[in-house]
Amino acid sequence: MAPINFLVIGLGNPILGDDGVGWIIAQEVEKHICSLRNDIEFDYLSLGGLSLMERLINYKRVIITDSVTSGEIPEGSVITFTLNNMTDLSYGHTTAAHDTSLKTALMAGRKLGAPLPSDNDIQIVAIEIRKVMEIHEGLTPRISAAVPLAVKHVLENFEND
Amino acid sequence: MTRITIDPITRLEGHGKIEIFLNDEGDVANTYFQIPELRGFERFVVGRPIEEMALLTNRICGVCPEAHHMAAAKAADAVYKVNVPRTGKMLRELLYMAFYATDHTTHFYALAGPDFIVGPDAPVAERNILGVIHKVGLEIGGKVIQMRKYGHTVVEKIGGRKVHPCTSIPGGLTKGITEEDRKEIEDMGRWAIEFAQFSLKAFNDIVLGNKTYLDLILGDIYTHHTYYMGMVDENNKTNFYDGKVRVVGPDGKELVKYAPEEYTENITERVEPWTYLKFPYLKKVGWKGFVDGADSGVYCATPLSRLNAADGLATPRAQEEYDKMYSTLGGKPVHQRLVTHWARLIELLYAAERWVELATDTEITSPNFHAIPTEKPTEGVGIVEAPRGTLTHHYWTDERGVVTQANLIVGTTNNYAPISMSIHKAASSLIKKGTVVNEGLLNMVEMAFRAYDPCFGCATHSLPGQMPLEVTIHNSDGEIVKVMKQFVD
């Protein structure tokens, strides 16, 4: 069996409506690729910061599928970027009473010697959402319609690899 | 009137905002801690099977899913009136102790750490998790990561998944553990005891050994005299997983000790027009406003409250530390809120010791971890001590076990009134006419609520995670005259 070097994480909360889109994207990718590749691991998480960083230990490349709330692009837009291109608004600080940002957590993890992928090897594929505080299952139509494009972006990562 | 706003906006953990209003003289006129809480969860679960609650509710919060899992599981046991076999109870408690050790470790090193290890008025660029690592050294930072890894591993072995366990069902669990698992869990627990003792020593050296910090902790700024709540066993010793809820007064005397199903006779809630979150208070004492004293129904449910409400801890090393804390501070109860950090570390030691006790019980690997429910489902209440306060789940079902109504009082909600009072007192004490309101000073106001380890979690993780603190100062006309942000642009 090939070593597991790739990790795809569906991130979000599946009971917060569109916030759960990261899970849906990852599930679709897994359906497409599980019969073709055995060197990719999938996981579905509702975590951030330190706990998310700990999950990335020992992987060379990671793709995180998620929602994003920039408020600067139209709802349903698909964006792809690597973590090193993301501004760490909370550089060094806690983002909540119990946690910090993923970038800061990664800095701390690397400082402590944890084998973590570089920020350049952590790819984010996300869909811009608006409704993030309503408890329900399922996606709104505009977000649901954007899922195939996000899936395509994720799969492109594996085409030349 | 001048208005100061501390806005800990975060997508990771709900929203909250501290507003400080100054009068024309420049003194604090009033403060508000507002929480636009996520709403609708209690309606969302209606129509779903009761056995799903332990899986669904642990998605409410990204910080303490294990606590919701346990409270919901215990409520489901009560709904079916089923007694969980001893091994089932022990396995759940064992998972819970590992979670507690993980959670309390994170709080002390990542959250309280910047305040006490780096310093409350240290430059912003240093008062953070990286600053803590720099100050305590890489070796200790590595131990923190190791502690978290062990905690997650135990949760996964018993709960089936890391962080969001899925094995508790009405009557017990879906799986047990093997002897090989048990041995590994025991070894990790023994390491956790050493780590907890090390952490208490670090607190002793870094915090208690520093007169400035000690004066800050014991000073009047962070002191309130309220009732205290915590779950206890049959010997009135603190218990995180099971028992009765005990409430003691500001004088330390027991007011009431109630079983989970009696919570509505003892706790009721008050609504204020300026916030979504309700203020629970002691029904028998009554609401007298945001005030201290035996006549005020305001109570506190925190690590310090749990120790105040109990007669001790059921493990030897933790009991020793418990005695040391109270003898150092002049007896029970302790009212200085920043002592909560000390209490949290004593609880960390208790959790680690209890972890080993359970892992070495001869019945822990027994296959008798589940009892099949036979009664018709009706209504049930489950209570556990979440790290940040007493957590109550209450469900009503129809005869098929489908939820028809739900009520949740989460850990931090208990502390909403005392948190608000602490913010007001800290702000009033620190901000006076002519005071230059800088980041260090506002951090000391923020410390007043951080001691409670508040959690307004919703487990939403959309990017980008934002910083928790934004300070906006308005002049008497409401115009913004200054904005301060904690992050580095």
Side-chain angles (χ1 to χ4, degrees), chain A residues 5 19 25 29 36 51-52 81 86 106 111 121 126-127 130 147 153 161:
Chain A
N5 289 324
D19 190 67
I25 298 166
V29 171
L36 306 172
S51 297
L52 183 54
F81 55 96
M86 185 177 153
L106 285 163
K111 207 172 171 70
D121 287 322
I127 296 177
R130 294 283 185 270
V147 169
H153 282 315
D161 210 298

Side-chain angles (χ1 to χ4, degrees), chain A residues 37-151:
Chain A
R37 301 275 294 256
N38 61 0
D39 60 339
I40 305 168
E41 191 176 321
F42 288 81
D43 204 352
Y44 301 88
L45 303 172
S46 303
L47 301 172
L50 292 167
S51 297
L52 183 54
M53 176 273 286
E54 287 163 348
R55 185 66 185 88
L56 310 191
I57 290 173
N58 288 329
Y59 292 91
K60 286 184 178 172
R61 280 188 60 194
V62 175
I63 298 174
I64 296 173
T65 60
D66 199 359
S67 58
V68 65
T69 52
S70 71
E72 293 170 359
I73 54 176
E75 186 182 13
S77 301
V78 177
I79 55 170
T80 302
F81 55 96
T82 53
L83 201 62
N84 59 323
N85 288 319
M86 185 177 153
T87 305
D88 188 2
L89 293 176
S90 63
Y91 178 88
H93 297 275
T94 55
T95 55
H98 315 271
D99 216 334
T100 184
S101 71
L102 177 59
K103 283 190 88 161
T104 296
L106 285 163
M107 277 195 289
R110 290 187 194 113
K111 207 172 171 70
L112 295 170
L116 286 156
S118 70
D119 283 3
N120 202 37
D121 287 322
I122 300 173
Q123 179 94 15
I124 316 285
V125 177
I127 296 177
E128 174 81 10
I129 67 170
R130 294 283 185 270
K131 294 174 182 169
V132 293
M133 301 295 278
E134 294 177 8
I135 293 179
H136 65 91
E137 288 177 303
L139 305 178
T140 56
R142 190 172 292 180
I143 302 305
S144 190
V147 169
L149 180 59
V151 171

Side-chain angles (χ1 to χ4, degrees), chain B residues 71 95 114 126 143 159 169 217 277 309 318 358 364 400 423 471:
Chain B
L95 180 157
E126 295 170 19
K143 284 185 180 181
I169 55 173
I217 289 171
L277 199 62
L358 291 161
I364 197 73
R400 299 169 301 159
I423 289 166
V471 182

Side-chain angles (χ1 to χ4, degrees), chain B residues 58-78:
Chain B
N58 70 16
R59 298 278 177 200
I60 295 176
C61 173
V63 177
C64 52
E66 291 91 342
H68 283 291
H69 182 74
M70 288 303 167
K74 288 182 69 184
D77 298 336

Side-chain angles (χ1 to χ4, degrees), chain A residues 11-16 18-19 23 44-55 57 64 66-70 81 83 86-101 104-105 107-109 111-112 114 124 126 129 132-137, chain B residues 9-15 36-41 44 48 56 59-60 62-63 103 106-107 110-111 124-125 127-130 133-134 137-138 141-142 145 148-149 152 162-164 388 450 453-455 458-468 486-488:
Chain A
L11 199 62
N13 189 342
I15 64 168
L16 272 180
D18 289 341
D19 190 67
W23 284 40
Y44 301 88
L45 303 172
S46 303
L47 301 172
L50 292 167
S51 297
L52 183 54
M53 176 273 286
E54 287 163 348
R55 185 66 185 88
I57 290 173
I64 296 173
D66 199 359
S67 58
V68 65
T69 52
S70 71
F81 55 96
L83 201 62
M86 185 177 153
T87 305
D88 188 2
L89 293 176
S90 63
Y91 178 88
H93 297 275
T94 55
T95 55
H98 315 271
D99 216 334
T100 184
S101 71
T104 296
M107 277 195 289
K111 207 172 171 70
L112 295 170
I124 316 285
I129 67 170
V132 293
M133 301 295 278
E134 294 177 8
I135 293 179
H136 65 91
E137 288 177 303
Chain B
I9 302 164
T10 164
R11 285 291 328 284
L12 289 178
E13 203 197 305
H15 294 186
E37 185 201 28
L38 254 188
R39 304 174 83 187
F41 191 83
F44 173 73
R48 291 175 175 275
L56 280 176
R59 298 278 177 200
I60 295 176
V63 177
D103 194 277
T106 306
H107 185 279
L111 173 59
V124 174
R127 202 181 58 240
N128 53 51
I129 190 169
L130 299 172
I133 293 171
H134 179 72
L138 295 181
I145 296 289
R148 286 175 56 86
K149 185 182 177 187
H152 292 324
K162 281 177 184 164
V163 184
H164 294 90
R388 45 206 59 80
R450 210 153 42 221
D453 190 11
C455 173
C458 54
T460 174
H461 297 283
S462 289
L463 294 165
Q466 289 180 311
M467 49 79 213
Q486 208 179 54
F487 60 78
V488 177

